[in-house]
Amino acid sequence: MNIEDVVGSFGGITNLGRLRASGFTAKQTERAVDNGRLTRIRRGWVATANAPPSAVRAVRVGGSLTCVSALRELGVWCVADDLLHVRVNRHANHLASPDNRSVALTNAAVQGVKLHGTHSAHHPRPHWHTDPVDVALMHAISCQPRDYAVSLCDSAMNLGLTSKQNLEQVAGFIDKRHCAIIRLTDASAQSGLETIARLRLRARRIPYRPQAQIKGVGHVDLLIGERLVVELDGKEWHSSPEAFAEDRRRDLILHERGYFVIRLTYAQAMFGWGRVEALVLDLVAHGKHNWPRSRVGEARRVAEAAFTVEAAAAAASGAASAAASGPASAFAGGAAGSARGLSADFGGAEPPPLSPLPPLPPLPPLPPLSSSPLLPPRGDSSELTRYPRNTSG
């Protein structure tokens, strides 16, 4: 294996210490740099031509890529952030511009850099050019607002990059705020928008279920009460003509079945939540989020509850079979996340078992036509003679 392949196996960036451990001397590395096969980023660090640009810039600063900059490279849902997030040693000096090693980093914000100090309770290995996902999430919790931090954790868990157990273990070494953020996470969330909406509904104590399953439609982002559906259209998943048509097909089925549907764009969910919240509170105040207290409403409630129980049983069965084949496939199956999505919110407690509703009383038989209070008995014209026919013209 040549030196470029070895550096490529380390993610396209590595230091001289790892190259020496792989059997390459300093002279061989220097020769590869002189020949243009490798690029020197800073003293002791080299990169291949196809190395990740963000990681190259972070190493040039004097640290490693972290927080949202590292998470975005992994496909985690992130809000717009143009800064380069770099983790450096708390006592680091001689930091440089991300674009030119000969220019000192004198004003990080102006030069487009956000510096993160290494957590004293958690020391990543010094030869990493990009922080592992758990470490990057811990720095995101310190850096980002609460709702954004929870959405980052939800997205990473949903993608299978980490688990809640791992995050709880790492957060336990840092502080209580990090642990509190992890307790709010939910791996069943399909997007950061869903997480942000979920947390805002939770703050107003509005009951909801994430990723609730509705017969004939599938999973919906949020189900408030029994029939108020909130769908959140992210930029990346709902912009194609096919996705647009599929969303409208689902909406039509929901409307046909008596559901109320609120479909929000990215801008409405992120920057116009005040109007959305006012609408939801008004619908809840008028009881529009639940089926009406009528025979039709009770029948619909029983049918939906039965389908929910069946879906939960199917998810549990899938989780058991996936667990038998191995933990990786169990996680990939997403059964645990689906089961959580069917549970009630507020603390993640399991919902109480559904009790069967009492049978509806039978309808009373219709009276005979002759005894109807609206018509006189047959052969009796007394009621008719009270109002003689007007023959005056």
Side-chain angles (χ1 to χ4, degrees):
M1 184 179 292
N2 58 39
I3 192 169
E4 299 101 302
D5 293 336
V6 173
V7 177
S9 67
F10 294 136
I13 305 171
T14 191
N15 57 21
L16 299 183
R18 298 188 77 175
L19 285 177
R20 281 195 299 269
S22 300
F24 293 95
T25 64
K27 288 186 177 181
Q28 289 175 306
T29 304
E30 188 70 25
R31 190 179 304 115
V33 171
D34 293 339
N35 294 337
R37 296 154 60 194
L38 297 177
T39 302
R40 180 178 288 106
I41 306 174
R42 65 183 175 95
R43 185 177 180 181
W45 286 81
V46 294
T48 59
N50 58 353
S54 296
V56 169
R57 299 178 75 229
V59 172
R60 187 176 288 125
V61 169
S64 60
L65 197 67
T66 193
C67 194
V68 294
S69 297
L71 296 171
R72 188 179 294 111
E73 298 290 325
L74 298 172
V76 175
W77 187 93
C78 299
V79 295
D81 190 332
D82 296 330
L83 295 176
L84 181 71
H85 292 253
V86 182
R87 178 185 58 80
V88 297
N89 189 288
R90 293 187 179 275
H91 305 290
N93 51 24
H94 304 297
L95 301 180
S97 165
D99 301 311
N100 190 342
R101 183 64 189 170
S102 62
V103 177
L105 189 72
T106 56
N107 191 327
V110 173
Q111 293 171 281
V113 177
K114 170 69 175 179
L115 295 177
H116 294 252
T118 300
H119 290 299
S120 58
H122 191 76
H123 296 282
R125 297 174 183 175
H127 56 257
W128 282 339
H129 56 78
T130 300
D131 280 350
V133 62
D134 294 347
V135 177
L137 286 171
M138 293 303 110
H139 283 278
I141 292 174
S142 302
C143 174
Q144 302 294 309
R146 187 203 69 166
D147 290 359
Y148 292 173
V150 176
S151 68
L152 291 167
C153 295
D154 282 0
S155 179
M157 291 191 298
N158 185 264
L159 292 172
L161 300 174
T162 186
S163 66
K164 192 166 187 173
Q165 182 180 2
N166 290 342
L167 295 180
E168 288 173 340
Q169 184 177 4
V170 177
F173 290 110
I174 301 177
D175 58 31
K176 293 182 178 179
R177 180 180 182 275
H178 285 69
C179 295
I181 294 291
I182 302 304
R183 284 195 294 269
L184 295 174
T185 59
D186 183 354
S188 69
Q190 298 294 314
S191 72
L193 286 181
E194 180 186 326
T195 298
I196 292 172
R198 169 172 62 86
L199 294 173
R200 291 171 178 174
L201 292 175
R202 181 181 183 275
R204 298 306 299 263
R205 297 185 178 276
I206 298 174
Y208 67 90
R209 282 187 291 154
Q211 290 300 309
Q213 191 170 0
I214 297 177
K215 189 174 183 179
V217 177
H219 291 89
V220 296
D221 290 338
L222 295 168
L223 178 62
I224 298 175
E226 296 171 341
R227 65 167 182 164
L228 178 55
V229 174
V230 179
E231 293 277 48
L232 300 129
D233 294 351
K235 295 177 180 179
E236 63 275 22
W237 304 117
H238 299 267
S239 56
S240 67
E242 294 79 9
F244 183 90
E246 173 62 15
D247 290 340
R248 271 62 196 173
R249 183 193 69 82
R250 288 161 51 92
D251 290 352
L252 180 60
I253 296 175
L254 289 169
H255 284 301
E256 287 174 341
R257 300 190 61 189
Y259 288 87
F260 288 97
V261 182
I262 301 176
R263 184 170 291 278
L264 304 176
T265 65
Y266 178 90
Q268 289 170 330
M270 292 294 292
F271 312 118
W273 184 257
R275 293 179 61 189
V276 177
E277 186 177 277
L279 174 61
V280 170
L281 289 174
D282 181 69
L283 291 173
V284 171
H286 288 84
K288 301 296 185 182
H289 63 307
N290 288 327
W291 298 112
R293 301 299 174 183
S294 63
R295 293 192 176 186
V296 175
E298 290 296 336
R300 177 58 60 84
R301 185 176 293 107
V302 171
E304 296 297 337
F307 177 74
T308 300
V309 172
E310 293 175 2
S317 176
S321 60
S325 60
S329 59
F331 188 88
S338 300
R340 280 193 296 272
L342 294 169
S343 65
D345 182 52
F346 301 123
E350 290 296 327
L354 293 171
S355 57
L357 293 174
L360 297 176
L363 292 173
L366 293 175
L369 186 61
S370 60
S371 61
S372 173
L374 301 178
L375 295 174
R378 293 181 179 179
D380 184 1
S381 61
S382 58
E383 293 296 329
L384 301 177
T385 57
R386 292 184 183 181
Y387 306 99
R389 185 178 179 181
N390 185 2
T391 60
S392 60

